Amino acid sequence: MTQENIRVRIAPSPTGDPHVGTAYIGLINFLYARQRGGKFVLRIEDTDRTRFVSTSEDMIFDALKWLGLSWDEGPDVGGPFGPYRQSERTEIYREHAEILLANGTAYRCFCTPEELEASRKAQMAAKQPPKYAGTCRNLSPETIADHLAAGKPFTVRMKVPDGSTTFRDELRGEITFDHTNVDDQVLMKSDGFPTYHLANVVDDHLMQITDVIRAEEWISSTPKHVLLYDFFGWQKPRFWHMPLLRNQDKSKISKRKNPVSLVYYRQAGFLPDAVLNFLGLMGGGMPQEQFAAEKFSLEEMIQHFDVKNISLGGPVFDLTKLKWLNGEYLRALSAEGFYEALRSTILSDTYLKEIAALTQTRIETLGQFGNLTHFFFTDEVSPAPEVFLPKKRTIEETLAFVAEQITALEGCDWTTSGIEAALKQLGEAQSWSVKENFMLMRAIVTGSTMSPPLMESMVIFGKARTLDRVRRFLDAQKKAASQKK
RNA sequence: GGCGCCAUGGUGUAAUUGGUUAACACGUCGCCCUCUCAAGGCGAAGAGUUCGGGUUCGAUCCCCGAUGGCGCUACCA
């Protein structure tokens, strides 16, 4: 038996803050590679230009480095199978789409988004499963030539044959999908970018990935991928689908119900070792006899973790337990180490300097520094209704407005002007005065009606932490409101 | 709705892969320590393994069904 060169990858999309789910899947892949002397590849899947966030890629790099999950090949370090950014590989996908077009396993589709939407609606109304109607499946060469000559935009779809696809999931065994449930997936969008399905298969093959370890949500599209490998005549990798991290209510983990940004965990003062340890607890994987206390390092995970032991129920990401674990790591630090941890995060010079600048004209003795800035250093503030509720507003409309504020903040540039513009625009649309609008936000973020400049404070406090604070406020108030009823 | 995946205390996991009083960790509660609060120590409550059928001398574990949860169902990943 020849020694197989194990190669695995994680493929995050730069669509926002780096996600705990990425860290989780990253950890599993990292361990898998390290345990087998394989390579761990980082690939950026930036094929969706509509959701692209320019700052995202660097945040992903930083977050993974912070955790200590280093990659052997990637956009920043290069490697023999680059480029590792899909937006730089469009030519490759185009060529491969041509191959499929030529061998008859794919076809051009000239349907417009509007037509597709209408068709989908009709199917839904008729209680039919929404599926591509196949309008362009068998166009004559002449029609295609005409459309092309007319410059009509088109997509490339895969031509799913009759039958069924069975593949092996390393954790679950064989899974079969009847092709009546596999749609003629778009492979190339009309903007010339590939969809995930094409890019993922092409890259995994070209990058010689041996094991695709990804989240469970991909199971239903795996038949499409398997079909594509067959269309190309390529050898398939092994598939491992990891359970999805969950909110308390068991739904797929989401920012609405849980902090999911790694930036948040970092800024809120979690230690990377604790986060990694906690992630390693999700789904099991570590032998319990040897680690009954459930505390272990990355090195110990490399030594003892076994992907095959992952249990398939979706684990609830329990912040309470993460905090306990983090506390354990904090206590294990030397006094000096603990102080250093503080100084490099929540009491860093840069953080302190930025905060100090806001207070100089607002205090009369240095001893008052804390009075004005405590909210920068606490995990939560809980303003009473007298503080946050505008005089002429009901609690219901206020909370509804806060929900809107969250949405506005999520989408804005995290600068003073960006925040101000987003909030003002929302206020105007909803007929909230600037004063009501900003005072409410001030109360939620600082816990008080008196504070340093709001926008500056929010910028310094950080997007991830600010949003978490506002979301938690909303959540708590909603609960309080519903209990009253 | 269709298709798929999953199912052990409130939460995360164990149970020589058919034989245990179902174990450990978090959380909760109580006691001790203590100027307070944590930490730490000790202890307790909490699941008869979603339910119903099978197979078996015997099922947490194997099979079938039901129920429930989750995911997918885009020119998003």
Side-chain angles (χ1 to χ4, degrees), chain A residues 67-86:
Chain A
L67 286 171
L69 299 178
S70 51
W71 49 97
D72 303 299
E73 298 168 27
D76 56 336
V77 295
F81 301 96
Y84 293 89
R85 225 171 334 241
Q86 293 189 325

Side-chain angles (χ1 to χ4, degrees), chain A residues 93-110 132 134-141 144 148 154-161 183-189 195 197-198 202 224 227-232:
Chain A
Y93 308 124
R94 204 161 310 164
E95 286 166 11
H96 283 84
E98 286 300 329
I99 294 174
L100 264 22
L101 245 17
N103 72 15
T105 56
Y107 58 92
R108 292 186 179 83
C109 171
F110 296 92
Y132 179 59
T135 320
C136 301
R137 222 173 181 223
N138 293 300
L139 296 180
S140 68
I144 295 173
L148 288 178
F154 63 90
T155 62
V156 175
R157 287 179 183 273
M158 64 187 292
K159 200 170 197 170
V160 177
D183 208 358
D184 277 4
Q185 185 60 233
V186 169
L187 263 20
M188 291 291 284
K189 303 179 243 183
T195 58
H197 307 283
L198 209 223
V202 168
K224 291 169 185 169
L227 243 19
L228 284 174
Y229 281 101
D230 289 343
F231 288 173
F232 283 116

Side-chain angles (χ1 to χ4, degrees), chain A residues 163-235:
Chain A
S164 67
T165 290
T166 299
F167 62 90
R168 178 177 166 73
D169 175 283
E170 299 299 320
L171 261 17
R172 292 157 242 260
E174 298 204 324
I175 300 176
T176 300
F177 282 82
D178 193 284
H179 288 181
T180 50
N181 300 307
V182 182
D183 208 358
D184 277 4
Q185 185 60 233
V186 169
L187 263 20
M188 291 291 284
K189 303 179 243 183
S190 55
D191 65 1
F193 278 84
T195 58
Y196 170 85
H197 307 283
L198 209 223
N200 155 73
V201 166
V202 168
D203 287 348
D204 282 348
H205 175 258
L206 260 24
M207 295 179 183
Q208 299 180 11
I209 299 302
T210 56
D211 294 82
V212 170
I213 307 174
R214 64 199 343 176
E216 193 179 2
E217 55 189 333
W218 292 108
I219 290 179
S220 356
S221 42
T222 304
K224 291 169 185 169
H225 306 159
V226 168
L227 243 19
L228 284 174
Y229 281 101
D230 289 343
F231 288 173
F232 283 116
W234 291 339
Q235 196 194 336

Side-chain angles (χ1 to χ4, degrees), chain A residues 47-103:
Chain A
T47 56
D48 184 356
R49 71 194 196 303
T50 62
R51 293 204 305 159
F52 180 76
V53 175
S54 62
T55 53
S56 189
E57 186 181 289
D58 280 339
M59 290 198 290
I60 291 169
F61 291 168
D62 288 347
L64 292 175
K65 281 181 193 160
W66 172 63
L67 286 171
L69 299 178
S70 51
W71 49 97
D72 303 299
E73 298 168 27
D76 56 336
V77 295
F81 301 96
Y84 293 89
R85 225 171 334 241
Q86 293 189 325
S87 59
E88 295 167 11
R89 301 170 62 84
T90 49
E91 195 48 45
I92 296 173
Y93 308 124
R94 204 161 310 164
E95 286 166 11
H96 283 84
E98 286 300 329
I99 294 174
L100 264 22
L101 245 17
N103 72 15

